[in-house]
Amino acid sequence: MVRPPAFNAAATSSMRSPLRWLATVLVAVLVATPVLAKDPQRLRTRALASACAQCHGTEGQAVQGEALVRLAGLPQDYLISQLLAFRTGARPATIMHQITRGYSQEQLEELSKFFAAQKPAQ
Amino acid sequence: MMQRRLILQGLISGGALGLAGCASLGGTSAGKAKVLVVGGGYGGATVSKYIRLLSDHSIDVMMVEPNTSFVSCPVSNLVIGGQKTMADITNPYTGLSSRHGVRVVHDTVTAVDTAKKTATLAGGSTVSYDKLVLAPGIDFMWDQIQGLREAHAGGQILHAWKAGPETMALRRQLEAMRDGGTYAIVIPEAPYRCPPGPYERASVIAAYFKKAKPKSKVLILDGNPDVTSKGPLFKKAWKDLYGDMVEYRPQHKAVAVNAKTNTVEFEVQGDVKADVLNVLPVMRAGSLAVQTGLANANNRWCHVNFLNFESTAAKDVHVIGDAIQVAQGMPKSGHMANSHAKVTAAAIVAELQGIEINPHPMVTNVCMSYVDDAHVIHVASVHEFVPTQKTFRTIGGSGGVSDVRSDLEGRYAEAWAKNIWADTLM
């Protein structure tokens, strides 16, 4: 079967097997639904949360066994209480007081909600 | 090579056809948008991953990067100091393709036609794009220091300011140096890549000397009027940990080197001779950006629209990372390049999906510096885009530096590295 190559690797690797190609297409259709892909607020929240990822992992999935905490799946109330405690200085920190003071309470609440909703990776 | 050529030719002639197969099932008629990313450092790799992620894999991404693995500049000073190995700072690119469906091509882009929206690869193939992201990093302005290009090409005077083989070459020079010798690092005027990097390097080399060559000396010859980042913390560490072993000399702007005598000459101050001379050349945006006409800030750095990091010189061309003319208080760092990449990815996804670009993007930066094997100091900042000023500003009351150096921050630095590598590549 000769299929023209594609720009991205997933589509190209799928050329090896027609079944796998079909599965990839179906997954792509399911994942790329317009509701998910064109929700401006969802995009902004994910972009806002991405600023935490350098230290706490993409979508809160920090590398395990290291000193920085995984945010994914922590309770929303806990997250917001800690972020606000960092901001006031009630919880001592090396760096988080300096970071949290750059964000509004609404932004910290948005981040807490986002990370609480992420399922921790196994 | 044959396979690569076939794939690239397919892109030109039949790529749209291949994509149409998916697009018709996906319910759109135009086919998937294509983003070409040039450069696979902290900026390029991150923007590749995040365009895929934030578009729910609905935008195709090709990343062109000559190196077959990612060698981190952050933490590379510890390889020079002997505290880490090259393996510790090297990661594969395979996660970008296997986990995120980025097409990673190990080649070099030799030319960009911003009017035709195509890029030419070293092999001669041409790739078309809807959006181009250039993350070319830095290149060197060799002519600013007379004799440096030749001394560097001969392997005698190294910079090791791009992590890779030169990192180990500098390490070997230090290992070969006699006890009682002098290592001198020469720092250009700001802006340059990684503001605290030279001072960290001096610190971890001093840590090595203290253990292995205690009669030796570390000389910091700075083209700037003072330490450009975390000055009081670095100076305190040098005094407390190394005493007279580390000597800091400001206002030393290098103008020439002599490879025969291993001597550096300065604009004002007297010549300095050293056993190991580590001269950081004056830096500019990566040569592809300069050649493409994007370096419109003093023919050195690239002005961008900070809302989406689009070049002010070419439409649908975005420039991120060390190559840009930075906003006030914005360092040229790996962490910042990763932050640029995320704002850019979100803006490109929004634009290609026909939704409004976030009018209020934010970026953060954290730079962690080792002052010995275990103790670390940081500088952190949070920046917001201010629409009325059309640039990023640091947010009042946020950011700052460490109170003291600590081994706790040393553990955080380890975790930072592991997490940013995963966030960039996995």
Side-chain angles (χ1 to χ4, degrees):
Chain A
M1 184 175 70
V2 179
R3 192 177 300 282
F7 207 76
N8 66 311
T12 303
S13 64
S14 71
M15 286 190 291
R16 288 178 204 136
S17 145
L19 269 180
R20 207 173 145 195
W21 175 81
L22 186 63
T24 305
V25 169
L26 287 175
V27 167
V29 171
L30 289 173
V31 171
T33 57
V35 176
L36 283 178
K38 293 187 179 174
D39 180 344
Q41 190 50 53
R42 178 169 174 270
L43 178 61
R44 282 186 200 177
T45 301
R46 294 174 86 191
L48 184 73
S50 73
C52 309
Q54 293 98 337
C55 297
H56 295 282
T58 304
E59 293 173 342
Q61 309 287 356
V63 174
Q64 293 298 280
E66 295 292 331
L68 291 164
V69 68
R70 175 167 73 181
L71 303 176
L74 291 179
Q76 188 177 341
D77 290 350
Y78 173 76
L79 284 167
I80 189 63
S81 69
Q82 297 308 300
L83 288 170
L84 292 174
F86 281 133
R87 207 166 59 151
T88 61
R91 177 172 170 179
T94 55
I95 198 166
M96 278 307 295
H97 56 304
Q98 297 167 347
I99 300 289
T100 48
R101 284 169 195 165
Y103 291 84
S104 67
Q105 172 142 359
E106 291 71 28
Q107 287 173 319
L108 296 178
E109 283 170 358
E110 188 180 343
L111 290 167
S112 301
K113 189 177 169 190
F114 174 84
F115 287 118
Q118 306 305 310
K119 196 172 172 233
Q122 292 308 305
Chain B
M1 193 61 210
M2 276 302 289
Q3 195 181 3
R4 176 184 294 164
R5 183 160 302 231
L6 186 70
I7 288 165
L8 293 172
Q9 282 172 348
L11 260 174
I12 314 157
S13 59
L17 182 65
L19 295 163
C22 290
S24 62
L25 286 168
T28 58
S29 57
K32 284 188 173 184
K34 291 179 288 196
V35 179
L36 176 63
V37 177
V38 183
Y42 279 91
T46 305
V47 80
S48 299
K49 169 177 160 176
Y50 271 80
I51 288 171
R52 295 287 294 159
L53 207 58
L54 296 178
S55 73
D56 298 305
H57 306 102
S58 67
I59 295 170
D60 285 335
V61 177
M62 177 189 283
M63 187 185 91
V64 181
E65 160 60 44
N67 295 324
T68 51
S69 55
F70 175 98
V71 184
S72 176
C73 256
V75 197
S76 70
N77 279 335
L78 296 193
V79 177
I80 294 165
Q83 297 92 358
K84 297 261 188 202
T85 66
M86 287 302 285
D88 292 331
I89 62 165
T90 304
N91 284 283
Y93 282 114
T94 47
L96 288 176
S97 44
S98 65
R99 291 171 64 107
H100 300 285
V102 175
R103 167 160 278 292
V104 179
V105 175
H106 294 298
D107 205 332
T108 303
V109 170
T110 54
V112 173
D113 185 328
T114 57
K116 289 183 184 159
K117 297 175 80 169
T118 58
T120 306
L121 278 73
S125 310
T126 303
V127 181
S128 62
Y129 61 81
D130 296 304
K131 284 280 191 182
L132 175 68
V133 183
L134 285 190
I138 49 146
D139 271 311
F140 301 115
M141 300 169 81
W142 293 105
D143 297 343
Q144 299 286 308
I145 299 176
Q146 197 190 335
L148 185 56
R149 187 195 299 268
E150 298 73 22
H152 176 263
Q156 188 174 345
I157 299 178
L158 304 175
H159 54 75
W161 217 241
K162 293 184 178 187
E166 205 167 322
T167 306
M168 274 313 294
L170 180 58
R171 173 66 194 161
R172 283 191 291 270
Q173 286 190 350
L174 292 168
E175 284 173 344
M177 194 188 87
R178 68 187 166 92
D179 188 11
T182 297
Y183 160 81
I185 183 165
V186 178
I187 307 169
E189 287 177 290
Y192 57 86
R193 162 179 280 180
C194 191
Y199 314 110
E200 177 189 62
R201 180 174 291 181
S203 302
V204 296
I205 287 173
Y208 163 63
F209 285 171
K210 195 173 164 181
K211 281 183 185 158
K213 307 184 183 201
K215 293 178 211 154
S216 306
K217 188 161 180 173
V218 172
L219 198 50
I220 305 165
L221 302 165
D222 198 338
N224 297 285
D226 202 347
V227 175
T228 58
S229 178
K230 297 177 266 195
L233 286 160
F234 272 118
K235 286 178 180 171
K236 180 161 170 42
W238 296 333
K239 186 164 171 281
D240 293 351
L241 301 171
Y242 310 115
D244 294 337
M245 180 183 270
V246 174
E247 185 183 339
Y248 177 74
R249 295 185 195 166
Q251 310 278 21
H252 276 65
K253 184 183 171 186
V255 293
V257 293
N258 184 332
K260 279 188 191 137
T261 56
N262 233 30
T263 301
V264 55
E265 297 168 24
F266 298 92
E267 195 173 60
V268 178
Q269 318 285 355
D271 299 358
V272 174
K273 185 174 159 58
D275 297 273
V276 174
L277 200 47
N278 180 194
V279 179
L280 311 185
V282 177
M283 299 168 207
R284 73 191 303 176
S287 57
L288 182 65
V290 177
Q291 174 198 320
T292 310
L294 306 175
N296 50 1
N298 294 327
N299 200 30
R300 194 174 168 197
W301 309 109
C302 305
H303 277 300
V304 295
N305 172 355
F306 281 108
L307 201 56
N308 60 359
F309 289 81
E310 187 172 36
S311 164
T312 59
K315 192 171 164 14
D316 293 322
V317 177
H318 302 250
V319 187
I320 59 174
D322 293 344
I324 71 159
Q325 172 70 33
V326 291
Q328 203 176 1
M330 183 185 267
K332 294 184 183 295
S333 72
H335 193 117
M336 182 54 78
N338 172 294
S339 294
H340 291 172
K342 289 164 177 174
V343 172
T344 305
I348 286 175
V349 169
E351 190 179 334
L352 292 175
Q353 293 185 342
I355 59 182
E356 192 204 353
I357 293 175
N358 181 4
H360 187 75
M362 292 179 67
V363 292
T364 55
N365 184 70
V366 177
C367 285
M368 318 277 279
S369 301
Y370 286 82
V371 293
D372 63 11
D373 303 13
H375 295 83
V376 161
I377 55 179
H378 81 259
V379 56
S381 51
V382 185
H383 312 245
E384 64 178 342
F385 181 80
V386 180
T388 51
Q389 299 176 32
K390 295 185 177 170
T391 189
F392 278 98
R393 293 285 181 219
T394 49
I395 297 172
S398 73
V401 299
S402 307
D403 291 334
V404 291
R405 63 176 182 272
S406 70
D407 56 353
L408 176 61
E409 290 215 64
R411 292 196 292 280
Y412 289 158
E414 287 267 340
W416 171 87
K418 299 272 170 58
N419 278 299
I420 196 169
W421 293 340
D423 185 44
T424 301
L425 298 163
M426 286 301 294

